[in-house]
Amino acid sequence: MGGAGTFAALGARLFSPPPLSKRVAWIVDAGSDFPSSMIPIINDWETSVLLRINSLRLTTRGRNSYDAAQHRNFEYMTPKLTIDITDLQHQHAMLLSKSFHLICSPLRCISLVTRLLDARKQINPLAPKPLIVWEPVPDTCIPSELLNLTNCLPYVNICSPNHTELLRLISGASQVDSNEISFDPTAIEAACDQLLAAMPLQNYAFVVRSGANGYPPEQRTRVIDPTGAGNSFLGALAVGLARGLDLEEAICWGCVASSFVVEQVGVPTLSKVDSSGNKTNITIQDGSVEELWNGESVQERLHKYLSRVRDSKTHG
């Protein structure tokens, strides 16, 4: 099981044990070839998932491949099904969500946000603007799309390309091999400054992703597959901001979420233990049952990560 939407929902779900899990909403479009073994996993997350089954089409499938240098290539194996605002017209709870995660081109982002706000006002004229976290699709992170991207910024709160997409966007060259772009914090900061300096003061930020995770260096051997790490990062970031965290702490949530995602191919395994450490299927109600993902507590890993962040600031 995978896909950008799935991993973003997972990032939010990692920090949303029941009953908070019901506040995580996402759409799963299952075609005739959808593995039945995935449905119990989806149900175990106890989210407000909208599972739509259509036996007349194939499930959207993609394939990630990596070469020896970990350069990524992606291709769709079946026809892509795009989710639109019209898919939410009868899903009022989804439409009134506090945050949304979008992956699309700049022009489509503007269209989606505009129609989303209109749809929310039809339900509740006083509905506040939600938090919008936007991932530009890689194909549009090129210099010719720079104007469209900057025009899109006032519509979103967080714009989050990865480091290669950001540097390719402002490189000035029409063709740049993203595999040749190395991680350079100084260049990334300069790129963000360049983009933000040209914009009016707004409540938005660039959050640039580059393999962020919650591991200290000695534990990096646990990284198996980076697929979905960026999406889960943003899902956790969005839910953290929606719950009132400042940007820095929400980023830490994102780093920890991505650390669980990279430990295996696919999604991490959810289990529940009682106060005696025994596995159970009881739904969490009063804190007597704890969730573990890949056998570990999300909150414990977050605590360790925040401690390292504080120590790094103290010792500079």
Side-chain angles (χ1 to χ4, degrees), residues 10 50 83 101-102 117 127 169-171 173 180-181 229 237 267 269:
L10 172 61
L50 176 59
I83 294 176
H101 173 245
L102 307 180
L117 297 181
L169 180 70
I170 66 164
S171 66
E180 299 300 322
I181 300 176
L237 172 78
V267 298
T269 300

Side-chain angles (χ1 to χ4, degrees), residues 49-97:
V49 62
L50 176 59
L51 178 59
R52 304 188 297 191
I53 300 176
N54 185 347
S55 61
L56 300 180
R57 68 179 306 274
L58 296 176
T59 307
T60 299
R61 292 175 181 265
R63 180 171 64 189
N64 274 318
S65 59
Y66 299 88
D67 63 19
Q70 290 300 299
H71 296 150
R72 173 179 175 266
N73 181 63
F74 174 81
E75 60 179 330
Y76 282 104
M77 308 302 294
T78 59
K80 179 175 66 171
L81 179 62
T82 302
I83 294 176
D84 193 73
I85 300 301
T86 55
D87 293 301
L88 305 181
Q89 60 183 348
H90 301 302
Q91 307 296 325
H92 289 186
M94 282 190 178
L95 276 173
L96 294 177
S97 295

Side-chain angles (χ1 to χ4, degrees), residues 197-219:
M199 300 301 297
L201 185 62
Q202 296 280 351
N203 183 28
Y204 54 71
F206 280 95
V207 177
V208 182
R209 297 165 285 114
S210 179
N213 62 66
Y215 291 124
E218 66 272 15
Q219 294 183 357

Side-chain angles (χ1 to χ4, degrees), residues 11-22:
R13 174 60 181 85
L14 284 164
F15 286 92
S16 305
L20 285 176
S21 58
K22 288 298 182 182

